[in-house]
Amino acid sequence: MAGSLLTAAPGHASVKPLTVGECNSCSCSHQNLDGRTGYLTATAVVRGGPEGACSYVSNEQNHPYMVYYCYVVNKYGNTWTYGRVSSGGGYIYGWVWDGHLSGDGSNKPCNE
């Protein structure tokens, strides 16, 4: 019996596995597919890609709001959301680990 394997992540009903080229470490495509607003639940680092080794963008505190665009599953199996974070009267864009986001981040995969 053949079938495809779907993996479940907290807050994500089913996650389509990423293919080579959709997300390669720190360079990962994204688009605004979600539009829901949430907030950072802890002091969190916003990164240039969806893993801890990716470039530092900002360290956000005091639970800033974030407009969720979409999420990916990185090569370690962790979900990260890309979006726009309110920061000191302006906005920054980047990736945040879903464990630091309300509602577990975006519910729209970037490769949808």
Side-chain angles (χ1 to χ4, degrees), residues 35-71:
R36 291 180 313 119
T37 301
Y39 59 93
L40 282 67
T41 60
T43 298
V45 175
V46 179
R47 299 219 173 257
E51 65 180 69
C54 297
S55 63
Y56 171 89
V57 174
S58 178
N59 186 26
E60 296 300 319
Q61 301 177 29
N62 301 320
H63 310 292
Y65 286 94
M66 180 175 183
V67 176
Y68 301 153
Y69 282 20
C70 62
Y71 77 93

Side-chain angles (χ1 to χ4, degrees), residues 17-30:
L18 297 174
T19 60
V20 175
E22 288 179 319
C23 193
N24 183 10
S25 294
C26 294
S27 71
C28 198
S29 63
H30 50 80

